[in-house]
Amino acid sequence: MGQFGIGQSVRREEDPRLLQGRGNYVNDVNLPLQTHCYIFRSPHAHAEINHINTSIAANAPGVVDIFIGDDVAADNLGTPGMVAKRKRPDGSDMWAPPQTPLALGRVRYVGDPIAMVIAETLDQAKNAAELIEIKFDTLASVTDTADTIEPDSPPVWEQCPDNISNVFEIGDAETTENLIQSASKIVKRRFVITRVHAQFIEPRGALGEYNERNNRYTLYADVQYPHRVRQVLAEKIFRIPEQSIRVVAADVGGGFGAKGWQYVEHRLVLWASKKIGRPVKWTCERSESILADEHGRDNVTDAELALDADNNFLALRVSTLANVGAYISSIRNLLSTFANVGTLVGVYRFQAAHSKVLCVLSNTNPTAPYRGAGRPEASYVIERLIDEAAKEFGIDAAELRQRNIVTSTQTPYKTALMFTYDCGEFDKNMNTALEISNYHKFTERRSKSDSRGKLRGIGIANAIERAASPGPDFAEIRFSTDGTTTILMGTKNQGQGHETMYKQIAGESLGLDSDDIRVVDGDTDQVAFGMGTMGSRSMVIGGSALYIAANKIITKGKKLAAHLLEAGEDDLEFQDGCFTILGTDKSISLKEVAKASFLPAKIPSGLEPGLYETGSFSPEKDTFPNGCHVAEVEIDPETGHVDIVNYSMVDDVGNIINPMTLKGQIHGGVAQGVGQILMEQVAYEPESGQLLSGSFMDYAMPRADTMGFINIKSNIVPTTLNPLGVKGGGEAGTVGAMPALMNAIMNALSQVGVDHLDMPASSDRIWGAIQKAKKVA
């Protein structure tokens, strides 16, 4: 084995460079003769554009050009395209209107792009934008998810008067209905899952260059999947060969699912660069990002849980309104509404289940995957519903879960919805989490909190998620003439520590030290292919592709080593970076073999010179990371402030490449779940549709003092679905954090008569709920 291998807690090698300011983010990239652009966005949620005049603005100092929707439309750029063939409830085809790069005649949310101002400097572009003459006729708007389907709700699109884009259903509706009708106990609840924004540390950006000499575009952008961005731009937008576009994503300061393939700014900077003959750079500012970016979540769900007289789960029925915003440009905008609905049944046994999702349009930004992409929403519904059932029927919440959980001996387990869990020890996860959280002595801790005038609560969530869905990815290993190597990966690092972990996989497989390995990703001219990074797939699929490439290197290396050692291939073993003749101390290192591979005189006849191999991997089935979260809180009833006093978690992500980076991923995921429950929300003013949370003054974010100590214990159950036995850990924290924390808060508030509270559970909302409960009492 090399310097570091699989399973070691290795510090991330990327961090010193980034902490010393040597990162190379999209805004660090500058080209000769580049211009800067500013996107003039709609100040209204819904309005007709009756007049627009850019002539005065076009003559402002430094202005190179100004483009509006008609200019782009004249060149007939394409759209990403919708591959889903959904229907509306009446059986008609779905209504999925794509977003044009710049608005044509009407704007449909605050932030809808209207004009592109290009100037020598960004300040000149901003100043010119203020000189654009534009007149609007404002129209009625709808931003609240529950209101979208009300009979008197204004339509976002006249062609879709009821605002229902499409419907998605899975499960057995008839059996579910029969079981609910015959059940001894039924609990029904409505859960609101708020709209949030990814709030990555690096706001988006794009720099486009058209090279007339080679008739080729280059896009520098902070995207999660460069090859797919290139594919969409080439095939769907510009309708040119893929090799005519290069996409480069260097360092990316966070993505969380929101840095996707279809943003209009990507196509605009490339299109405009060709128009003006110079590179065009767009940099999103923090105050612009919530206006410019896709949002996440935003569901209203009605759920029913049916139980028999012995508290065994019978059936689950879920009906969800999923707010997808004003435009649906591709399957990406629907992904969160269907891809993980199957995990609504959690890790529990049901005889039947049924889920129906209505995707509804509103005068808001389009929604798309955000860390978990439907997994946290599904987990929230089932785990909150179980706690509500336990409270209503007087059962301990842990006991109710233990009675109905899928046990270790029952996997593989086909759920009542769409998934088959290949492996897992869900019962062990929960029992261990209860043990390390000291769950059975909670009553004593509650009494102590009560003596200090505080409300103490505890909440459990058994989380499971679909991760690393089938789809290929790519790795290449290239040795140089000095025996060092370059690894080229089709995934894209956005802060997860890929560089370090891929070096660990290569170190384990090839016995190489990390100093001898360079990792390259994010450049479609250097890396042959890649699906990118999303859905906790990088180590499962990218890592497996690298493992396959490494085995090919060993196979070829053994042929070379046998020739150099004058031995038969079957007489050699490869271990710790060396080929050794069995039973002797005669050996040669892989580095020496690699050096020799470039010298024709040292290689056997018929063998190609050089040492470089590729690997591709596509899993046949999904993996299912899982775990149990136990959150414990104290609430000050005088202020509504929530303190997280204990957080325990048992996770199963299969084999672990790097325990340290895994814990970092879990900590970050928990923080995002905590943020959504306690404070985060994209909020709109109901009457005008104006965005109320456009900055960190209004959109609250968790800080270090929001969080408490997180006790993490791993329960490793390797999967057999990939050669590394890994399941994916990028979203595990968020999936369980939302329901566990909300269950703990509601458990605490139940002591003062609060029986309902929607997220965010901010201090003012908690205080108000307590005061309301006092009046009712």
Side-chain angles (χ1 to χ4, degrees), residues 63 88 112 247 271 353 355 530 581:
V63 171
R88 287 170 26 85
D112 211 348
V247 175
W271 173 82
S355 175
I581 299 176

PDB file of all heavy atoms in Angstrom, residues 63 88 112 247 271 353 355 530 581:
ATOM      1  N   VAL A  63     -20.178  51.020 -22.290  1.00  0.00           N
ATOM      2  CA  VAL A  63     -21.094  49.973 -22.741  1.00  0.00           C
ATOM      3  C   VAL A  63     -20.644  49.419 -24.098  1.00  0.00           C
ATOM      4  O   VAL A  63     -20.356  50.170 -25.029  1.00  0.00           O
ATOM      5  CB  VAL A  63     -22.542  50.492 -22.824  1.00  0.00           C
ATOM      6  CG1 VAL A  63     -23.446  49.456 -23.494  1.00  0.00           C
ATOM      7  CG2 VAL A  63     -23.062  50.829 -21.439  1.00  0.00           C
ATOM      8  N   ARG A  88     -51.310  15.503 -16.894  1.00  0.00           N
ATOM      9  CA  ARG A  88     -52.036  16.254 -15.887  1.00  0.00           C
ATOM     10  C   ARG A  88     -53.157  15.374 -15.335  1.00  0.00           C
ATOM     11  O   ARG A  88     -53.462  14.324 -15.907  1.00  0.00           O
ATOM     12  CB  ARG A  88     -52.601  17.537 -16.510  1.00  0.00           C
ATOM     13  CG  ARG A  88     -51.526  18.564 -16.782  1.00  0.00           C
ATOM     14  CD  ARG A  88     -51.971  19.768 -17.612  1.00  0.00           C
ATOM     15  NE  ARG A  88     -53.378  20.088 -17.526  1.00  0.00           N
ATOM     16  CZ  ARG A  88     -53.937  20.854 -16.572  1.00  0.00           C
ATOM     17  NH1 ARG A  88     -53.167  21.364 -15.618  1.00  0.00           N
ATOM     18  NH2 ARG A  88     -55.220  21.107 -16.586  1.00  0.00           N
ATOM     19  N   ASP A 112     -36.584  37.239 -12.705  1.00  0.00           N
ATOM     20  CA  ASP A 112     -36.635  36.757 -14.083  1.00  0.00           C
ATOM     21  C   ASP A 112     -35.730  37.649 -14.951  1.00  0.00           C
ATOM     22  O   ASP A 112     -35.894  38.873 -14.966  1.00  0.00           O
ATOM     23  CB  ASP A 112     -38.083  36.834 -14.585  1.00  0.00           C
ATOM     24  CG  ASP A 112     -38.412  35.757 -15.595  1.00  0.00           C
ATOM     25  OD1 ASP A 112     -37.487  35.094 -16.091  1.00  0.00           O
ATOM     26  OD2 ASP A 112     -39.614  35.563 -15.898  1.00  0.00           O
ATOM     27  N   VAL A 247     -15.917  22.934 -21.655  1.00  0.00           N
ATOM     28  CA  VAL A 247     -16.387  23.432 -20.364  1.00  0.00           C
ATOM     29  C   VAL A 247     -15.296  23.172 -19.333  1.00  0.00           C
ATOM     30  O   VAL A 247     -14.777  22.051 -19.239  1.00  0.00           O
ATOM     31  CB  VAL A 247     -17.703  22.756 -19.932  1.00  0.00           C
ATOM     32  CG1 VAL A 247     -18.108  23.212 -18.527  1.00  0.00           C
ATOM     33  CG2 VAL A 247     -18.814  23.082 -20.922  1.00  0.00           C
ATOM     34  N   TRP A 271     -23.179  32.918 -26.134  1.00  0.00           N
ATOM     35  CA  TRP A 271     -23.864  33.538 -27.271  1.00  0.00           C
ATOM     36  C   TRP A 271     -23.397  34.972 -27.467  1.00  0.00           C
ATOM     37  O   TRP A 271     -23.090  35.402 -28.588  1.00  0.00           O
ATOM     38  CB  TRP A 271     -25.377  33.477 -27.024  1.00  0.00           C
ATOM     39  CG  TRP A 271     -26.207  34.213 -28.020  1.00  0.00           C
ATOM     40  CD1 TRP A 271     -26.609  33.775 -29.239  1.00  0.00           C
ATOM     41  CD2 TRP A 271     -26.749  35.537 -27.856  1.00  0.00           C
ATOM     42  NE1 TRP A 271     -27.380  34.741 -29.860  1.00  0.00           N
ATOM     43  CE2 TRP A 271     -27.483  35.818 -29.025  1.00  0.00           C
ATOM     44  CE3 TRP A 271     -26.701  36.485 -26.853  1.00  0.00           C
ATOM     45  CZ2 TRP A 271     -28.141  37.043 -29.209  1.00  0.00           C
ATOM     46  CZ3 TRP A 271     -27.354  37.700 -27.018  1.00  0.00           C
ATOM     47  CH2 TRP A 271     -28.071  37.964 -28.188  1.00  0.00           C
ATOM     48  N   ALA A 353     -48.670   1.022   0.229  1.00  0.00           N
ATOM     49  CA  ALA A 353     -48.458   2.468   0.315  1.00  0.00           C
ATOM     50  C   ALA A 353     -48.788   3.080  -1.032  1.00  0.00           C
ATOM     51  O   ALA A 353     -48.725   2.418  -2.077  1.00  0.00           O
ATOM     52  CB  ALA A 353     -47.030   2.790   0.723  1.00  0.00           C
ATOM     53  N   SER A 355     -48.441   7.081  -3.083  1.00  0.00           N
ATOM     54  CA  SER A 355     -48.041   8.484  -3.057  1.00  0.00           C
ATOM     55  C   SER A 355     -48.456   9.163  -4.350  1.00  0.00           C
ATOM     56  O   SER A 355     -48.312   8.600  -5.438  1.00  0.00           O
ATOM     57  CB  SER A 355     -46.518   8.602  -2.885  1.00  0.00           C
ATOM     58  OG  SER A 355     -46.115   9.959  -2.976  1.00  0.00           O
ATOM     59  N   GLY A 530     -17.677  12.063 -18.260  1.00  0.00           N
ATOM     60  CA  GLY A 530     -18.063  12.080 -16.860  1.00  0.00           C
ATOM     61  C   GLY A 530     -19.502  12.524 -16.698  1.00  0.00           C
ATOM     62  O   GLY A 530     -19.999  13.365 -17.451  1.00  0.00           O
ATOM     63  N   ILE A 581       8.569 -11.897  -7.289  1.00  0.00           N
ATOM     64  CA  ILE A 581       8.530 -13.309  -7.661  1.00  0.00           C
ATOM     65  C   ILE A 581       8.229 -14.118  -6.402  1.00  0.00           C
ATOM     66  O   ILE A 581       8.894 -13.968  -5.378  1.00  0.00           O
ATOM     67  CB  ILE A 581       9.871 -13.761  -8.267  1.00  0.00           C
ATOM     68  CG1 ILE A 581      10.160 -12.953  -9.544  1.00  0.00           C
ATOM     69  CG2 ILE A 581       9.844 -15.260  -8.596  1.00  0.00           C
ATOM     70  CD1 ILE A 581      11.519 -13.268 -10.165  1.00  0.00           C
TER      71      ILE A 581
END
